[in-house]
Amino acid sequence: MTAEYKVLGDVAVITLANPPVNGLGFSTRTGITDGLSKALEDAAVKAIVITGAGKAFSGGADIKEFGTPKALQDPNLLSVILALEASTKPIVAAIHSVCMGGGLELALGCHYRVAAPGTSVALPEVKLGLLPGAGGTQRLPRVLGVETALNMIVSGEPVKSELLASLPGQKLFDKLAASPESLFEEAVEFAQSVAAKDGELPLVRKLPCKHPQGDAYFQFARNMVGGMSKNYPAPLKCVDAVQAATQMKFDDGMAEERRLFTALMFTPESLALRHLFMAERAASRIPDVPEDTPQRAIKSVGVIGAGTMGGGITMNFLNAGIPVKILEMKQEALDRGIATIRKNYEAQVKKGKLKADKYDQRMALLSTTLAYDDLKDADLIIEAVFEELGVKEKVFNELDRVAKPGAILASNTSTLDVDKIAAFTKRPQDVVGMHFFSPANVMKLLEVVRGKETAKDVLATVMAVAKKIKKTAVVSGVCDGFIGNRMIEQYSRQAGFLLDEGATPQQVDKAVEKFGFAMGPFRMGDLAGNDIGWAIRKRRAVEYPDMKYSRTADKLCELGRYGQKTGAGWYDYQAGKRDAIPSELVNKMIEEHRKELGITPRKISDEEIVQRLVYALVNEGAHILEDGIASKSGDIDMVYLTGYGFPIWRGGPMHYANQVGLYNVAEAMKRFAKNPRDDASFWQPAPLIRKLVAEGKQFS
Ligand code: T1G
């Protein structure tokens, strides 16, 4: 069992011991009820303390158990909490570090709660598309008040224990320990003090739960969360559950919470969010790199290039407290780069997102140079220079000359071959790709591109650095476009073919934005710059002459319509505005082009638009798995979610394909392959998809 029992004098101690975060899985729940029985049977025991070993009191129900029989196996969490409430001896929860979800619900079933300062307290179930399902919606309002509790439940965000303990009239914490170090001792003393008390033991369930404005408040709350909830139901159900706490007897409120929770458990949105919770953490695990691989110390970073990417990359490290030296060839380039970094920080200070002293601290970590030799002590050097192999060669020749042995040499390239770049040095084992996404200080995604000689400790180090700078790092092998850009290539091709066949840019964009993408392909092109895709297509036309494309995008660029930066792209824009206005000129150009191709435009459904764009991602993603470029389908989902605006409540392209059913996806692909205007060879379902369909399996 993963809960330990011991007796200290007249106090029994039950310690949750299920690393890493004391998830309340079956073995832990059994350990708690076993310990409780022993304590109740032991006459010498006058009081009980429940605490958590390691880095958490408890991170909640064991998410890994969800959907398995164990999750409901008795003693289930509800029955454990009822047993705590029914105890005839006082139970004190000694809470430290992390007290979340079912962990907080467990503590609310205790008679008393003593917390260490600095403890993160949350009911984050809504982030999993759920709501607290073990009494959190019924008990938390009783100890914190309806509004504070509802805010915590609907946001899922953690609040520090000392802030909650300071709220007037709060009954969540009976005592705030002086420090995390003294928590346990103070909790034991507190238990001894209440053991001596006569009278009924306090139960949260018996506290009143009302809101003075009643229904009017909850209507207001529904309006507030309505926006968040248009794509997934959980936030509004949270409001329903808390309102039930103010209108029903406790046990009826609990039954209502259970009904609402159970209904959410198997919604596609919750399945998607739980998949992503696991996929995000699994992405940091590289199959052939043991988790205990020693890492290189990264105490200082060099960045080459003070342009948009170099500046953004630099900010990530400054934000994490890591000193950065930026190298440029000319002083004015350095001055421009530093000015941009300052402007970004000053904007954050102005918005109240960054304290002025923190801004100063970060800028104090920044230095500049015009000489490669000044990078000789850097532990990690990242180049963000012009995307041209010849330029990279010069940079890496210099780095090979000046960098200290063991320094990690990283390229921010988004399309070039990392193996070729590594070959510009005598230390290919120290070379890796770190592909940041623009704006590099904002976008969470980092593609870590491993060359065939990249050392395992270099990978382990870069993955740890990524976590430190708050990036979602995904390892990619070396191929054209790595994972994300290789997939968006197929997505963009389909978008072009759809125009040739009869759709308009606004119809395609609206269809995918209704599906949930942050931005459709054409609005995205206008934002990022249509000339970027144009340059890539020109390069690819040489490398892959038989790759079929629609010519519309090229024709657009030949008109100089690169997008917002030229004031016109797929859409028209009014000066200084970013609102995309459907362009008569462009739609005429598309019609003319159809005539040149001899195509009679046809009406294309939104469903076909979404399927051709999303399944193009899925088919290419399957090839990426077959080629070993990505090691797991969850990695591909993380890339597309954090780098390309795939709707989070759909779990990523590969998870979405699983939910649609790979058989149905394959059948759609076969239909698209029959379309003479399309690319029949591309639409052959990838061998991996055919294999999974034949075996009745899914992407794992
Ligand atoms: N269950 C199982 N494993 C969990 C877990 C959980 N609740 N929380 C974390 N882990 C694993 C995680 O997968 C990873 O392991 C390792 O712990 C470290 O995680 C009935 C239904 C607690 C703040 O949503 O927010 O209770 O994958 O890298 O940065 O109402 O984990 O690497 O092997 O995130 O220090 C509600 C989710 C559950 C909390 C720690 N609870 N966890 O952050 O470490 S539903 C949550 C977190 C519930 C009840 C309902 C964070 C953390 P591995 P990590 P961290």
Side-chain angles (χ1 to χ4, degrees):
M1 287 177 289
T2 47
E4 290 147 9
Y5 178 79
K6 67 183 175 188
V7 179
L8 296 177
D10 56 0
V11 175
V13 179
I14 298 171
T15 304
L16 310 182
N18 181 21
V21 296
N22 297 327
L24 296 170
F26 173 70
S27 70
T28 308
R29 301 195 301 269
T30 308
I32 296 168
T33 49
D34 263 32
L36 183 59
S37 305
K38 285 179 188 147
L40 294 176
E41 285 154 13
D42 183 342
V45 169
K46 302 295 180 221
I48 301 157
V49 169
I50 296 183
T51 191
K55 69 176 196 176
F57 169 73
S58 169
D62 188 335
I63 300 171
K64 293 179 176 116
E65 251 187 20
F66 283 177
T68 70
K70 270 197 168 181
L72 299 172
Q73 201 170 342
D74 279 337
N76 65 47
L77 188 53
L78 282 169
S79 56
V80 171
I81 295 169
L82 285 176
L84 298 176
E85 282 191 317
S87 165
T88 52
K89 298 178 181 178
I91 301 177
V92 178
I95 297 164
H96 68 93
S97 312
V98 167
C99 179
M100 292 189 174
L104 178 54
E105 293 171 304
L106 183 85
L108 287 166
C110 296
H111 304 109
Y112 302 97
R113 286 156 297 282
V114 177
T119 302
S120 290
V121 181
L123 287 176
E125 290 85 341
V126 71
K127 292 183 177 179
L128 299 174
L130 298 169
L131 55 76
T137 65
Q138 307 301 304
R139 290 191 177 91
L140 196 64
R142 283 174 160 80
V143 294
L144 286 182
V146 168
E147 293 194 25
T148 304
L150 186 56
N151 285 340
M152 285 181 70
I153 292 167
V154 163
S155 72
E157 289 303 313
V159 183
K160 287 298 180 198
S161 49
E162 56 273 27
L163 174 59
L164 294 171
S166 71
L167 296 176
Q170 69 81 25
K171 294 182 178 62
L172 174 59
F173 296 128
D174 301 279
K175 180 181 171 63
L176 193 64
S179 71
E181 294 68 32
S182 67
L183 166 73
F184 181 69
E185 190 186 333
E186 291 190 57
V188 171
E189 280 166 17
F190 185 88
Q192 287 161 335
S193 71
V194 295
K197 274 187 181 174
D198 291 333
E200 265 196 23
L201 291 171
L203 290 178
V204 170
R205 64 164 54 227
K206 289 189 175 170
L207 296 171
C209 183
K210 280 281 169 260
H211 188 281
Q213 273 93 33
D215 290 353
Y217 168 73
F218 287 102
Q219 193 45 53
F220 163 75
R222 282 190 180 82
N223 295 340
M224 292 299 283
V225 302
M228 287 161 69
S229 190
K230 72 178 186 322
N231 296 312
Y232 49 119
L236 279 176
K237 299 299 179 193
C238 291
V239 178
D240 295 348
V242 173
Q243 183 169 22
T246 66
Q247 294 176 334
M248 299 178 180
K249 287 204 215 75
F250 182 82
D251 287 336
D252 295 339
M254 285 297 288
E256 179 62 2
E257 176 193 85
R258 197 76 205 153
R259 185 185 69 78
L260 293 166
F261 173 80
T262 309
L264 286 172
M265 185 52 115
F266 295 99
T267 54
E269 296 82 3
S270 182
L271 292 168
L273 291 167
R274 287 161 19 214
H275 158 73
L276 290 172
F277 176 87
M278 290 303 176
E280 182 176 13
R281 286 152 182 85
S284 60
R285 287 195 294 272
I286 308 166
D288 63 336
V289 178
E291 291 197 50
D292 60 358
T293 300
Q295 296 168 17
R296 300 185 191 182
I298 302 296
K299 293 193 172 51
S300 70
V301 170
V303 171
I304 303 179
T308 311
M309 288 308 284
I313 292 169
T314 297
M315 290 178 71
N316 290 311
F317 290 93
L318 300 180
N319 297 346
I322 299 173
V324 177
K325 187 179 288 291
I326 301 187
L327 166 75
E328 263 289 1
M329 296 297 106
K330 294 197 182 71
Q331 188 57 45
E332 54 271 31
L334 274 180
D335 297 344
R336 254 196 325 273
I338 302 305
T340 305
I341 291 172
R342 281 196 179 285
K343 189 160 70 56
N344 286 339
Y345 279 137
E346 281 157 7
Q348 289 177 26
V349 170
K350 209 165 156 202
K351 287 181 202 153
K353 290 186 175 173
L354 180 67
K355 290 202 171 25
D357 62 332
K358 279 257 187 274
Y359 164 35
D360 297 338
Q361 283 165 21
R362 288 177 186 175
M363 292 309 288
L365 294 171
L366 179 55
S367 58
T368 62
T369 180
L370 297 171
Y372 271 98
D373 288 295
D374 288 347
L375 298 181
K376 65 184 185 326
D377 299 328
D379 304 308
L380 165 64
I381 303 171
I382 305 171
E383 62 80 14
V385 298
F386 188 66
E387 188 74 349
E388 202 282 307
L389 209 52
V391 178
K392 306 287 189 190
E393 179 170 10
K394 288 196 181 74
V395 168
F396 277 83
N397 287 166
E398 281 297 282
L399 291 181
D400 204 24
R401 179 180 64 81
V402 303
K404 69 179 181 184
I408 295 176
L409 310 179
S411 169
N412 174 55
T413 183
S414 56
T415 56
L416 300 176
D417 184 327
V418 170
D419 288 329
K420 286 187 182 149
I421 291 173
F424 296 143
T425 74
K426 292 187 278 306
R427 49 175 113 178
Q429 72 283 358
D430 296 337
V431 178
V432 68
M434 289 179 77
H435 175 211
F436 289 84
F437 286 71
S438 184
N441 55 308
V442 174
M443 294 296 282
K444 271 182 74 71
L445 178 59
L446 173 66
E447 280 183 327
V448 175
V449 186
R450 69 184 294 181
K452 56 178 181 296
E453 297 192 50
T454 302
K456 292 186 177 183
D457 69 326
V458 168
L459 287 168
T461 305
V462 171
M463 297 304 275
V465 163
K467 186 161 187 173
K468 192 164 170 54
I469 63 173
K470 297 191 174 25
K471 294 297 177 188
T472 297
V474 175
V475 173
S476 169
V478 175
C479 73
D480 192 347
F482 310 138
I483 298 173
N485 284 345
R486 174 169 160 180
M487 289 169 68
I488 200 167
E489 170 68 18
Q490 297 304 341
Y491 174 89
S492 307
R493 287 179 70 218
Q494 286 302 314
F497 294 147
L498 284 161
L499 296 184
D500 293 350
E501 295 169 39
T504 61
Q506 50 272 30
Q507 184 194 359
V508 171
D509 282 349
K510 277 202 178 64
V512 292
E513 287 161 16
K514 193 163 145 246
F515 174 79
F517 274 89
M519 205 178 265
F522 299 109
R523 285 204 315 136
M524 176 60 83
D526 277 1
L527 179 68
N530 298 308
D531 49 328
I532 295 171
W534 194 25
I536 291 173
R537 285 193 301 280
K538 284 178 188 166
R539 176 170 62 78
R540 285 228 167 91
V542 172
E543 289 163 13
Y544 313 104
D546 52 1
M547 175 77 98
K548 250 178 88 176
Y549 284 100
S550 157
R551 282 267 307 137
T552 35
D554 298 346
K555 286 171 160 293
L556 186 82
C557 291
E558 285 153 14
L559 297 173
R561 293 178 72 100
Y562 296 165
Q564 291 182 20
K565 62 183 170 185
T566 56
W570 292 105
Y571 295 90
D572 294 335
Y573 298 88
Q574 288 168 338
K577 294 250 175 75
R578 305 168 76 95
D579 304 332
I581 303 161
S583 163
E584 262 183 59
L585 180 145
V586 168
N587 287 341
K588 203 143 189 58
M589 176 195 82
I590 293 168
E591 282 161 22
E592 289 305 312
H593 185 51
R594 287 179 194 138
K595 286 188 189 119
E596 288 161 19
L597 294 171
I599 293 176
T600 311
R602 66 183 174 90
K603 186 153 176 36
I604 301 175
S605 69
D606 285 1
E607 186 194 28
E608 179 182 343
I609 290 172
V610 170
Q611 285 187 353
R612 281 176 62 179
L613 291 175
V614 174
Y615 294 174
L617 298 175
V618 175
N619 213 24
E620 195 59 30
H623 289 307
I624 284 170
L625 288 169
E626 289 161 354
D627 299 348
I629 296 298
S631 62
K632 33 194 183 303
S633 65
D635 284 1
I636 295 174
D637 288 335
M638 288 316 299
V639 164
Y640 234 77
L641 197 92
T642 54
Y644 295 80
F646 198 89
I648 188 170
W649 66 87
R650 296 193 189 270
M654 312 308 270
H655 176 83
Y656 176 71
N658 283 344
Q659 288 203 327
V660 168
L662 291 185
Y663 171 80
N664 300 321
V665 172
E667 288 306 300
M669 288 179 181
K670 290 173 191 166
R671 282 199 306 277
F672 300 150
K674 293 188 186 116
N675 172 352
R677 301 308 317 166
D678 208 327
D679 178 347
S681 61
F682 171 73
W683 280 121
Q684 299 310 314
L688 173 61
I689 292 177
R690 291 205 299 270
K691 177 173 175 293
L692 292 171
V693 169
E695 294 167 356
K697 289 184 182 162
Q698 298 188 324
F699 290 121
S700 56

